Structure formats: C-alpha cells, structure tokens
Amino acid sequence: MSRYVYDFIEGNKDLKDLLGGKGANLAEMTRMGLPVPPGFTISTEACREYLRTGAMPAGLLDEVTQHLRMVEEKMGKPLGDAHDPLLLSVRSGGKFSMPGMMETILDIGLRDANVAALARHSGDERFAWDSYRRLIQMLGKTVFEVPGDAFEAELAAVRAAVGVRSDADLTAAQLQEVVQAYKKVFHAHTGREFPQAPHEQLILAIASVFASWNAERAVLYRRQERIPQDLGTAVNVMAMVFGNRGENSGTGVAFTRDPATGRRGAYGDYLPNAQGEDVVAGIRNTMSLDDLATIDPKAHRRLLSIMERLEQRYRDLCDIEFTIENGKLWMLQTRVGKRTPAAAFVIAGQLVDEGTITLDEALQRVTGEQLAHLMFPSFDTAAAPAPLATGVPASPGAAVGAVVFDSAAAAAATQPVILVRRETNPDDLPGMIAAQGILTSRGGKTSHAAVVARGMGRTCVCGAEDLEIGPDSFTVRGQVIHAGDVISVDGTTGHIFAGSVPVRPSPVVRYFEGELSPMGDPLLSAVQRLLAHADHTARLGVHANADTGLDAERARRFGATGVGLCRTEHMFLGDRRVLVERLILATDDAEREAALAALLPLQRADFAELFTAMDGLPVTIRLIDPPLHEFLPPLEELTARVARTEALGADPGRDGALLTAVRRMHESNPMLGLRGVRLGLVVPGLFAMQVRAIVEAAATRVAAGGDPRPEIMIPLVGAVQELETVRAEAESVLATVTGAPPIRIGTMIEVPRAALTAGEIAEHADFFSFGTNDLTQMTWGFSRDDVEGAFFGRYLELGIFAASPFETLDTRGVGELVRTAVDRGRAAHPGLITGVCGEHGGDPASIHFFHHAGLDYVSCSPFRVPIARLEAGRAATTAATASDSR
Ligand code: PEP
Ligand code: MG
C-alpha cells in the first residue's frame, strides 16, 4: 500500500515533487533544528489520487490519525481538547508556489466546547472568539461553499451596531455575538450545524485543500505560469501558533535580501497582534522589520540569525513567514524567494562575489525573460508632472492606461488599462493578467497584488493610502479620477501620475548602446558580468536579423557576431517600389534589364552599408522571397481607381497595366505560391542582379580596406534541383567580378520537403539556415498571417498548444524536422554550417532546443540579441546547477 503522510522530520528540501515546495522546505527547516511547529505533510500523490477518484485514498485517514498522535504528543495536548486544545493549520503547497490560489484553513479543532478553554489558557478571551469566528468563516466558505459576503455582512452589521470601524476594535462579547451570527449563517446555507468533531473538521479541511487544486483561479494561474495541471498539491498540517495574542505577539513576512532591488540585508513586513493571513492579504498596513528590532529585540536577533542560516543552506535569497507568540519565534514557511528581474541579476552577481555560487550557477539564476523585462523603457521623470500620490513600489515598470475598477472590466478592455483596487484577491487574477499595471490603496510589498504582479512581471504600486477608492472613481487630495481616465503608474518609484507620462529607454539598453558605463552600478555590472560569462560558455553563436546598416550597427553593439538574415525585399519598398513595378510590368528583355539595372546600384549601396557595419563578420543575405504582388497596390484599390477613371471616360494608363499584372499574379494562397527560389527561377535576371550587387559591394569594400564576409542564402528551397540551378547562375555571376572574398552559398530550410531531403540538398549548400516561421506554418498547415487571431486562443485554452508555435518552437513536430535536417545534412556534408533565422532564434526555450540539436548559431532581431546570448550561455551550462526560484 502506498504511503501518503510524512512527518516534517522525515523530508528535506529536495522532495518538492512529493511534498510540495512548502512541505519540503518545512522539512528542511525542521531538520536544521529551527523552531518549526510540529506537523506533517500529506503527499501530492494522495491529492492526485483524490482528484482521480473523488474519494480519500485508502489508508490515508489512518495515516493522518497516526501522525496526528505524534503532533499531539509533541505539543502535549490533544486536538480540540475541551480543557487545553491543540489547534491545527491546514495549508496547501504544490511543487511550484501559487500565491493565494489554493486554500488555507486555520484553527482546526476549535469548537463550542473549548473556546472558553482557549480563552483561559491564552488569557485572552477576545482572541479565542476571534479565532472561532475565523474558523467558521473559513470552513464555511471553502468546504461548504457558504458565500463569503454572507459572513462579511454579519461582521459589518456588528461593527456598525457598536460604532467601530475596524474588527480590532470589537470586544470579546461582541465577537461572541459574531460567532452566534456566523453559526446561523452556516446553518442557513448548509442545513446543518457547524461541525463540532475536531477530527471531522480536519478531514473536511484536507479534502477542501485537495479540491482547491482545481479551483478556477488556480487553473488559470498555472496556465499563465506554465505550471503543469496534473501535479496536485500537498497538504501541510501543522500545530497552530498564534500571532494575534496581544502586543508581544505578531506575524511577518521577510526576505533575506530586498526582492525589488536585490540590496543586501533583511527586508520585511511585520504586523503586531495579527495572524499570517492578515499580512499576505495586505488588509492592514504593516511595519518594517526594523520596527520589530525596537518592539522585540530578542526575537528580531533570533530571526536575523535564522535568516542567515537559511541563505547559507539554500545559497539564494529566501523568503520566510514567521510568527511570534508571546515572545517566542516560530518559522512557518521558507522558500527560495521570487524577485524582480533587476534583483535577480544583482543577487546572482552578489552571490558570486560572496563566494556562495559559481558563475555557471549564477547564469542559472537569471533568465532571458528577465533580461527582456529590464530592456523595457521607464518613465521620463523630468517630463512628468508632480505625482498625484506615492505608494509602495511593488513591481517595477512604467504602465500607462485607462483606469478600471474591477477585474472583469480589465479583462474585457481592448485598450491598455490600469486595474485600481483597494486590495486584490485571487479572484482578480484575470484582470491582473489583462492590465498594464495594478494599483492598490492597501498592503505592502508582500500583499497579494505585489506578489502576483512581480511573478507575472506586471507593473504594480500598492498601499497608496492617499487614494480613496470608490466603485467607479478614486479621490486623491481632492482630485477625482474617473473610470476611463488615463493615469501613469511607476512600479519602480511608487509614483502615480494623472495623464500619460512619456517613457524613456531602459538603463540596460543604454548600457548596451554604450551610453552608460556599468562601473559602480550594481545592475549594469551584473548584466555585463553574466553576459560575458554566457558568451564564454555558449556554444551557439548569436547573429542578428538586420536589413539596414543602422540595424546591423545596433546588433553589433548588442553583441551579435554576424547578420544571420538580411531580408532583401525590405530594400525594395518606399521610393524603390516604382522600380519594382517597372520590373513587373516589363514586356520585353530590354525593359526588364533596364529596371534591373536601375535597382543594381541601390542594392549595391545597401549591401556595402551592411558590410561596413559588420566588417569582419558574416552577413547572410537572402535573395528576394515574397510574392511580387506584395510590391504592387492592392487589387481592390486598383480596381476602384481604374473603374473611376474609366467612368470619367479617361484612359487608366499605368494603373490599367498594373491592374492587369495584379490580376495575373493573384494567388489564393500566396504564402504557398510564387515566392522564394521559385521567383528566382521564373523572373529572369532578378537573383542575378542581387548576386551581382552583393559581390560588387564586397569587392568595393575590399578595395577600401574592409573585410566583408557576405553569404548568399536561397529561400524556400524544396528540391535540390532548385538550389543547383540557382547556385550555378550565382556562381557564374560571382566569377565575373574580381577582388571579392570567397562567398558561401547556402539555403534556408523552411519547407518540410527540404528538411526530409536535407542529405541531397546539403551536397550543394555551404550552410543551412532554418526558417522556422515558414517551417512552422508549412508543417502545421496553417497560415502564419491568419491563424493567431483566429483560433490560437482556443487552442491554448484546450491545451493543444502550451505556447504559440510561432513564438516557441514546437519541438515535437517542427523540431523533429530540424533535427532530421541537421543529421542528414551533416552526414552528407560534414562541414555544413547550421543556423536558425526564424523568430524562434530569439525565444529562450527554443534556443535551448537549438543548442541541444547541435546548431552553430541562432539569429534574431537586434533587441533580442542580448537575450539570446544569455540563453545560449545558460543552455551550455549544466541544468544541474539550477535553483528553483519560480
Ligand atoms: C522564416 O520563414 O523563418 C524566415 C526567417 O523567413 P520569413 O519570416 O521572412 O519568411
Ligand atoms: Mg521564410
């Protein structure tokens, strides 16, 4: 028979699959001898079994009873005892943290028969009644689905009747009244009395935590965070300790370093005379950890020394939850803490400096996504008006949008919005995902809004106390902001501005541009150091997709070691479109040659610019790819123009000729039509002109003392004969020009047939570059321009896609073609160079795939070059060094 229950002393931090993150870390702390209240963890396996069958797994309840006995022994009192009750907390805890998404039930064991005893033992009658009313509310809501509002209404009624604003002002007798009212609410909604058997309460609470794995908000959160849906949650059952037992008790959340900036030193929020949920829910504004040093220096010292030990053990930033009960410190939770992208870089650098981790490990502590986030712009504070108010800067970034006051409105909005709430709760998740930024008037850096926003990389300011938030407007120092008004929210400083504030580039980008020195700046120097190490360890090179000299220069500043794709069709737009029209309308060789001759010098100049920018580095130039009609006016527009002219009795002239050409070229599905190499074979002289422009530009650069390294790339090849023909033509052109360097000729692999016949093709190619955009659309059989809006949302919802296959490579399908082509290509042509130039070249997960598939380089847009460099380095360092900071 399976075993489902583990005492805290039996586990350790590496057993997250079985015990969930919280359970594994409680076990680790127990092993370290830290003051963790006694308890046990019910495994994720039990939850999976429960979810599968809808019933408690066989033997689980006996195991729970056995382990409960051990807790009772350690605490020296039985669960729910009438004279001296042991009370329990029952908390969820999956492998990955899902803040506030699943259930927590406190004070299990409290009942009519022992409230008085708890009051006597604690010497605090008020506390006992308060705990009991919380239990009825929690079990009622979570297990019996009594609407939370029904309880809140009773509490509000008692507050109003006695004329106080806060629950903390209610007396014991008044809370006892609340309990009576709650019990009535419970009975009215369930048809039964509130359960009085402690054991029954415990079993119900465990079942409710299991079931909360599938709560709507939890499912949504996992989808958003790409956490698998089938893991299940563990359940942690632990003896209760009380932070709400008066002024020498309290509860807090702390980080071993500042999770926003990475600055060294303990950082946290403390709330005297409160239970843990009060801090996390952000319902009351908190004190800082430094205040605790004044209130209770002994507990504060102990806490700091424990935090130091935890950092050493986890070798990373830890966050913790603790409670002080009558001056005694208890550790309720720890884990490797979430952090902002800036903090991730700063901390990784610090830990290397402190000798705690190696540079390889440091690379595993940061991600390309985080670096991308740091490259976002922020507000231009010089151009900003005086802030309306300032709150707690909880998650950095610059968000501008129209104000909305509820999650549904945010989720439905088509314009950028800022979600403004007094505080958020897990039901607000859809709105938080949809909004550009989140603003709350209550709660600190560890409130729900802050934790969730940081996790999603969403801008958030919380605890802006000056805001008085109503249902459809907020007031701040007399100024009223209505729903729909635009505001700007600065998650880095906490400032809130009326109107739209201009944004300025990120310092990280300015550093890449060479405008800022990393010296003395902790973030920039960490970025510099980690990227240098990534370059050192990476096996994949990083090239850029760049069509102009300016793009290529930027790509080079950002660390690209070549251009992997120059899309030459972009050079035919603008003023030059008429020349292309002339080429298309040419009725004889002479006209066509004249059009090509006019294009030649322009193309030559384009290429010379690229070669100058990338002097000494490869520049892969793709010959023209898209269907020619893309250079002509749209059919509808032309038809209308010609009809109008003819109606006036005039001759449509050039428009008439264009219309005839457009009609002739019209294709129902041009992405599968006359484009790429097919065009080169059908339109005489087009490719030859481009090859001539390349080689002449190269020769000119050499003559000027440069070191051009052009490569010619043929798009959309599906059959080796296509490549052979074009290659022969290109070589004959190359042979006519002297003074140019050797020029490689290769092909894109973007048609499934090319991948499958890569062995033949490789014999005539110096390199392969995977065009994974086309390869994805052709492998799946869907048009990249049409489908994303049409049905990808539904496919993501159904789990058919984990991510859009145009963003993250579909490794099972398209990836298999890449692997096949690399293997067959290399077998036939051992020196074959392989790269990728589709959008996936800048996507972190795909880069790891390309590394393992053995490609030589990835090529991506200039802005993604640093991200690709980082991920190429990360892919090359061993996964064994990974730390779980998710
Ligand atoms: C590709 O298909 O992946 C590619 C890089 O070419 P394009 O996106 O220009 O078709
Ligand atoms: Mg393509």
Side-chain angles (χ1 to χ4, degrees):
M1 204 173 68
S2 311
R3 180 181 169 197
Y4 294 119
V5 183
Y6 298 81
D7 191 274
F8 288 164
I9 197 74
E10 293 178 285
N12 66 57
K13 68 179 168 50
D14 300 321
L15 293 177
K16 290 195 178 68
D17 286 321
L18 184 71
L19 303 178
K22 189 177 294 187
N25 291 326
L26 280 167
E28 188 73 23
M29 288 199 293
T30 305
R31 275 176 176 245
M32 288 168 70
L34 302 185
V36 177
F40 54 88
T41 302
I42 303 170
S43 71
T44 54
E45 209 179 316
C47 175
R48 287 192 295 272
E49 187 68 10
Y50 176 88
L51 294 175
R52 197 173 61 78
T53 62
M56 286 289 180
L60 174 63
L61 298 187
D62 289 344
E63 277 189 69
V64 166
T65 308
Q66 250 173 42
H67 280 82
L68 174 61
R69 211 167 295 136
M70 279 163 50
V71 177
E72 290 175 328
E73 269 164 29
K74 280 187 197 147
M75 294 299 285
K77 45 192 177 184
L79 175 63
D81 186 64
H83 304 291
D84 183 9
L86 163 69
L87 303 181
L88 296 174
S89 66
V90 178
R91 295 170 194 269
S92 57
K95 177 175 180 184
F96 301 110
S97 147
M98 297 168 47
M101 298 298 145
M102 293 185 288
E103 293 303 350
T104 286
I105 296 150
L106 305 177
D107 299 325
I108 291 289
L110 201 53
R111 55 198 175 111
D112 293 353
N114 61 21
V115 192
L118 181 64
R120 215 169 37 250
H121 279 280
S122 60
D124 186 346
E125 199 186 350
R126 189 190 172 284
F127 151 70
W129 287 106
D130 193 40
S131 301
Y132 194 28
R133 69 101 192 156
R134 283 170 194 260
L135 174 67
I136 300 170
Q137 188 166 355
M138 274 201 215
L139 265 194
K141 255 172 69 178
T142 61
V143 184
F144 295 93
E145 293 172 10
V146 181
D149 292 349
F151 291 119
E152 289 301 335
E154 295 296 339
L155 192 58
V158 175
R159 272 200 312 261
V162 298
V164 297
R165 284 173 63 123
S166 153
D167 299 345
D169 297 329
L170 294 175
T171 64
Q174 288 154 354
L175 284 164
Q176 190 170 356
E177 242 177 76
V178 174
V179 164
Q180 298 318 326
Y182 273 18
K183 282 164 71 180
K184 284 200 192 110
V185 167
F186 187 92
H187 190 270
H189 282 87
T190 62
R192 59 164 290 181
E193 297 300 330
F194 181 72
Q196 294 294 312
H199 211 262
E200 186 194 359
Q201 290 179 357
L202 176 59
I203 306 304
L204 287 169
I206 292 169
S208 126
V209 172
F210 281 161
S212 70
W213 174 261
N214 280 335
E216 206 178 305
R217 66 193 186 206
V219 173
L220 179 62
Y221 183 85
R222 288 195 292 272
R223 200 176 291 142
Q224 170 83 11
E225 297 293 309
R226 310 240 176 114
I227 297 173
Q229 296 286 355
D230 58 359
L231 298 177
T233 180
V235 182
N236 299 292
V237 178
M238 186 159 84
M240 286 286 296
V241 289
F242 295 95
N244 55 349
R245 284 179 103 157
E247 290 309 316
N248 63 347
S249 299
T251 188
V253 185
F255 297 85
T256 54
R257 302 175 193 233
D258 186 332
T261 62
R263 209 168 300 123
R264 237 165 297 196
Y267 169 88
D269 297 330
Y270 182 69
L271 206 54
N273 196 13
Q275 299 225 109
E277 307 321 292
D278 300 337
V279 183
V280 180
I283 289 167
R284 276 163 53 190
N285 288 319
T286 53
M287 299 179 163
S288 80
L289 217 52
D290 293 342
D291 297 328
L292 176 63
T294 323
I295 301 170
D296 189 343
K298 198 164 137 255
H300 182 255
R301 261 197 313 277
R302 179 99 209 267
L303 180 66
L304 292 195
S305 102
I306 288 176
M307 285 168 74
E308 205 165 314
R309 282 187 64 197
L310 284 172
E311 264 231 349
Q312 280 162 12
R313 176 66 65 117
Y314 284 86
R315 303 163 69 242
D316 206 344
L317 169 144
C318 295
D319 73 23
I320 59 164
E321 284 181 32
F322 64 95
T323 281
I324 298 172
E325 185 183 58
N326 286 331
K328 175 159 174 45
L329 173 68
W330 291 98
M331 302 299 293
L332 301 190
Q333 175 175 321
T334 192
R335 65 186 166 187
V336 169
K338 294 193 186 206
R339 63 207 73 184
T340 61
F345 276 85
V346 170
I347 291 170
Q350 285 168 357
L351 290 171
V352 172
D353 287 339
E354 291 162 18
T356 307
I357 60 174
T358 63
L359 269 168
D360 275 5
E361 286 173 300
L363 270 189
Q364 298 302 329
R365 302 284 176 92
V366 294
T367 66
E369 287 305 337
Q370 288 167 332
L371 184 55
H373 195 83
L374 290 172
M375 292 170 72
F376 291 153
S378 56
F379 286 129
D380 180 356
T381 38
L388 276 178
T390 301
V392 178
S395 181
V400 180
V403 170
V404 291
F405 289 95
D406 69 77
S407 169
T414 49
Q415 302 283 339
V417 292
I418 308 288
L419 178 62
V420 181
R421 306 280 288 152
R422 222 166 268 141
E423 68 241 353
T424 63
N425 65 49
D427 292 330
D428 290 322
L429 192 62
M432 296 173 79
I433 292 171
Q436 300 292 304
I438 298 148
L439 170 61
T440 71
S441 58
R442 294 192 193 171
K445 274 190 188 172
T446 48
S447 66
H448 176 268
V451 171
V452 174
R454 269 203 302 277
M456 296 193 300
R458 199 68 84 250
T459 300
C460 176
V461 170
C462 56
E465 293 173 45
D466 292 342
L467 268 55
E468 272 178 49
I469 300 178
D472 48 20
S473 66
F474 71 78
T475 310
V476 52
R477 296 195 196 99
Q479 187 167 347
V480 184
I481 306 282
H482 297 281
D485 291 350
V486 172
I487 61 168
S488 303
V489 175
D490 189 335
T492 314
T493 61
H495 293 328
I496 301 144
F497 305 96
S500 163
V501 174
V503 287
R504 68 176 162 82
S506 94
V508 171
V509 168
R510 295 189 59 206
Y511 153 65
F512 291 141
E513 290 287 14
E515 296 164 16
L516 288 182
S517 155
M519 287 269 289
D521 182 303
L523 172 60
L524 298 185
S525 41
V527 168
Q528 179 190 43
R529 187 169 184 193
L530 291 177
L531 275 178
H533 188 63
D535 291 343
H536 174 73
T537 51
R539 196 189 45 68
L540 279 174
V542 177
H543 297 188
N545 294 354
D547 305 331
T548 65
L550 282 180
D551 274 358
E553 279 167 16
R554 162 169 287 150
R556 194 167 190 166
R557 289 195 298 273
F558 282 25
T561 51
V563 166
L565 172 64
C566 162
R567 289 178 164 106
T568 52
E569 58 272 15
H570 294 167
M571 299 167 166
F572 287 178
L573 300 176
D575 301 348
R576 304 183 188 175
R577 201 188 278 263
V578 282
L579 296 175
V580 183
E581 283 178 10
R582 262 172 60 192
L583 174 68
I584 294 169
L585 297 181
T587 49
D588 56 28
D589 287 355
E591 273 180 36
R592 186 170 40 249
E593 275 159 26
L596 287 169
L599 280 167
L600 176 68
L602 301 172
Q603 282 262 275
R604 202 165 44 213
D606 296 331
F607 297 141
E609 216 178 78
L610 274 173
F611 298 154
T612 309
M614 278 285 159
D615 195 60
L617 295 172
V619 176
T620 306
I621 297 166
R622 178 178 71 183
L623 304 187
I624 193 164
D625 180 13
L628 286 183
H629 76 81
E630 285 193 12
F631 300 100
L632 302 178
L635 178 62
E636 300 77 14
E637 189 187 308
L638 259 183
T639 311
R641 227 159 52 203
V642 170
R644 256 196 317 272
T645 318
E646 283 175 347
L648 295 173
D651 178 1
R654 185 180 173 80
D655 275 354
L658 273 175
L659 181 58
T660 313
V662 169
R663 286 211 178 109
R664 181 164 32 86
M665 285 176 190
H666 181 77
E667 294 173 308
S668 297
N669 196 342
M671 287 303 269
L672 298 180
L674 180 60
R675 53 173 286 222
V677 67
R678 303 161 193 169
L679 200 59
L681 293 171
V682 169
V683 182
L686 181 57
F687 275 14
M689 180 278 290
Q690 292 198 289
V691 171
R692 178 166 299 284
I694 292 168
V695 66
E696 288 181 359
T700 314
R701 282 290 307 149
V702 171
D707 180 12
R709 312 247 174 123
E711 302 186 337
I712 293 169
M713 177 155 82
I714 318 297
L716 223 74
V717 165
V720 65
Q721 294 85 347
E722 293 169 321
L723 179 61
E724 278 181 291
T725 311
V726 171
R727 183 175 186 122
E729 185 190 16
E731 280 175 344
S732 69
V733 174
L734 294 181
T736 62
V737 178
T738 51
I743 298 181
R744 289 197 185 108
I745 300 176
T747 181
M748 294 186 76
I749 302 287
E750 49 185 349
V751 175
R753 192 180 188 285
L756 296 172
T757 60
E760 292 168 21
I761 293 177
E763 290 183 19
H764 300 271
D766 300 323
F767 61 87
F768 280 176
S769 178
F770 289 91
T772 46
N773 304 332
D774 272 312
L775 196 56
T776 298
Q777 78 163 347
M778 300 206 198
T779 301
W780 281 90
F782 44 47
S783 149
R784 58 202 251 202
D785 295 331
D786 300 321
V787 290
E788 297 217 42
F791 64 84
F792 272 27
R794 183 77 184 124
Y795 267 41
L796 288 163
E797 231 170 70
L798 290 171
I800 297 171
F801 298 151
S804 159
F806 287 118
E807 281 169 29
T808 296
L809 193 82
D810 154 39
T811 53
R812 289 174 63 82
V814 180
E816 207 44 42
L817 285 170
V818 172
R819 273 201 211 93
T820 303
V822 170
D823 293 348
R824 293 183 186 176
R826 289 233 174 97
H829 176 171
L832 184 76
I833 299 166
T834 56
V836 60
C837 63
E839 292 308 306
H840 306 89
D843 170 66
S846 313
I847 291 169
H848 287 247
F849 171 84
F850 297 131
H851 169 86
H852 292 292
L855 298 197
D856 296 307
Y857 69 87
V858 295
S859 188
C860 56
S861 73
F863 264 99
R864 291 204 73 86
V865 163
I867 297 154
R869 287 166 58 201
L870 187 73
E871 291 293 348
R874 295 185 69 232
T877 51
T878 57
T881 53
S883 162
D884 173 23
S885 59
R886 167 123 84 153

